[in-house]
Amino acid sequence: MYSLVGARAITENLVVLASADGTPPPRTHGELRTALRRQVISSRKPSPRLAAAPSAESAGAGGRDPGFIADGDELRGLVSGFDLPQRSDDDVTPAPGWRVAKTVHGWRQLLALDGTLGGLAETVIDTVFVTGADWTGSMSDNKHIGVLWLMPGREWHGEEVVEAFLHEITHTMLFLDERRYGHFLPAAADVRVRSAIRQDVREYPAVVHSALVAAELLTWRERHRTLDSACRRLHGPTRELAARAQEAHAQVVTEDRRQDLLTTRMRDLVEQAGERIRGSAAASV
C-alpha cells in the first residue's frame, strides 16, 4: 500500500477518515493521530482492552512507540478479542523478555529505516502485544484496526521482525483504505484461492491482501537490499516469495475477470501490485 500509492495519498485518506464524524479535519500530525485513533477505537469489536485507548503505563519508552503489552489483564483482554482458529493456555502466558525486546527493537528499526513509513505507522498503530505462546508469526484484524499481535521467534533476525511489522501495517492501511473506498463486491466472500504468503487456500479477500502484502515486502527488500539469509524464516527467500506472489496475483485477476469481485479502487491497487511483483520476479532470477 505504502509503495503503491505513496505517503501523501495515504495521509489524505487518514485525514478523511479522522474527520468522518463531522469534526474539522486535523491540521497537524498529532491532531491526525488523536482523531484517527478516536474513530478507530470507537469502532473496535467490544473487549475490555480493545475498546480503550492505550494507557500511559503501557506505552513504550520511546516517544514514537505504541503501547507494548506483554502480560496482565490487558494481555488477556487483547488475546480474547482476536478470533483464533485454535486456542491454548499458552496464548495468554506472559511473553518472555527476549521476545518483548525483539518486538520493540523491530518497531524502532522500521522507523529508523524509513521515517516516512514510520510516521504513518505510528499514526495507525496504537497497540502491539506479545505472549508466551510457542507459535511464531504475526496477526492483525479488520475488527481491531490499530492493534497488532507480534510473535517473533528466538532465532529471527531483526530484518524478519521488521518484515512482520511491515506485513501487518500493510494490512492495517488496506483495512483503512477499504473504509473509505470499498474493496470487494459481495460475491468475493464465497470465493477461495491460494495465498501468496501462507500458501493455503483462503477466502478471496485474504488472498488479495496477501498479494498486496507480498508486493510491499518485495519492494522493501529491493530498497533496503535485504539478504535472503536475513529473512528466509518468515516470508521465505525473495525468489520464492516473488513466485508465490505471481501465482496468487494471477488467481486474483483471473477470478475477478470471471466473477466480477473487486471494486475499481482495489482493481487499481491489484494492477499496481502486479507490476511490482513482476519486476521483482524478473530481478530475482
Side-chain angles (χ1 to χ4, degrees):
M1 185 77 194
Y2 169 64
S3 70
L4 300 182
V5 304
R8 178 174 294 182
I10 293 173
T11 301
E12 177 190 325
N13 185 43
L14 298 180
V15 169
V16 170
L17 293 172
S19 54
D21 59 357
T23 58
R27 295 170 297 176
T28 67
H29 179 265
E31 289 180 359
L32 175 59
R33 180 170 54 184
T34 299
L36 183 69
R37 289 183 179 182
R38 183 181 63 249
Q39 293 284 349
V40 167
I41 289 170
S42 67
S43 68
R44 285 178 185 164
K45 181 179 176 181
S47 165
R49 170 63 191 175
L50 291 167
S55 62
E57 291 78 10
S58 65
R64 301 180 67 186
D65 287 347
F68 289 104
I69 311 300
D71 58 22
D73 291 340
E74 288 183 305
L75 180 65
R76 286 186 284 275
L78 287 161
V79 171
S80 68
F82 271 61
D83 297 324
L84 298 177
Q86 294 181 336
R87 292 185 181 275
S88 72
D89 292 340
D90 286 345
D91 288 332
V92 294
T93 57
W98 63 263
R99 176 168 278 169
V100 177
K102 274 183 174 288
T103 302
V104 174
H105 178 73
W107 172 266
R108 294 176 183 171
Q109 187 176 359
L110 182 143
L111 268 59
L113 287 169
D114 191 324
T116 303
L117 175 59
L120 294 170
E122 65 172 331
T123 302
V124 301
I125 305 301
D126 62 69
T127 302
V128 177
F129 68 102
V130 295
T131 78
D134 59 5
W135 58 272
T136 60
S138 60
M139 292 179 64
S140 54
D141 190 321
N142 64 0
K143 301 182 186 68
H144 311 306
I145 296 175
V147 179
L148 306 183
W149 191 346
L150 262 285
M151 297 288 284
R154 187 184 290 272
E155 74 284 359
W156 281 18
H157 293 292
E159 290 88 345
E160 290 170 304
V161 186
V162 169
E163 284 198 358
F165 273 115
L166 178 62
H167 182 140
E168 303 306 340
I169 289 166
T170 301
H171 280 307
T172 300
M173 290 179 178
L174 286 169
F175 295 149
L176 290 165
D177 192 82
E178 184 175 12
R179 286 194 173 191
R180 181 180 181 189
Y181 295 104
H183 285 171
F184 303 101
L185 300 180
D190 298 322
V191 177
R192 302 289 187 272
V193 288
R194 188 172 298 279
S195 166
I197 303 295
R198 296 185 184 178
Q199 280 291 278
D200 55 356
V201 176
R202 306 182 67 196
E203 297 87 350
Y204 183 82
V207 177
V208 174
H209 267 235
S210 80
L212 269 63
V213 166
E216 204 67 46
L217 292 167
L218 290 166
T219 302
W220 177 272
R221 290 183 182 185
E222 289 177 19
R223 288 178 176 174
H224 297 279
R225 300 183 180 181
T226 308
L227 300 175
D228 277 352
S229 59
C231 60
R232 64 175 57 249
R233 294 179 183 85
L234 181 59
H235 295 115
T238 296
R239 183 179 298 183
E240 293 179 11
L241 176 59
R244 297 197 308 268
Q246 280 189 297
E247 178 186 353
H249 184 270
Q251 293 180 81
V252 164
V253 172
T254 297
E255 291 300 324
D256 180 45
R257 288 173 177 168
R258 189 167 70 89
Q259 303 188 58
D260 193 24
L261 304 174
L262 301 176
T263 64
T264 300
R265 170 64 168 181
M266 180 51 88
R267 282 199 186 110
D268 289 343
L269 294 175
V270 167
E271 182 178 353
Q272 293 178 64
E275 293 175 1
R276 293 297 177 94
I277 291 167
R278 288 188 292 273
S280 294
S284 65
V285 172

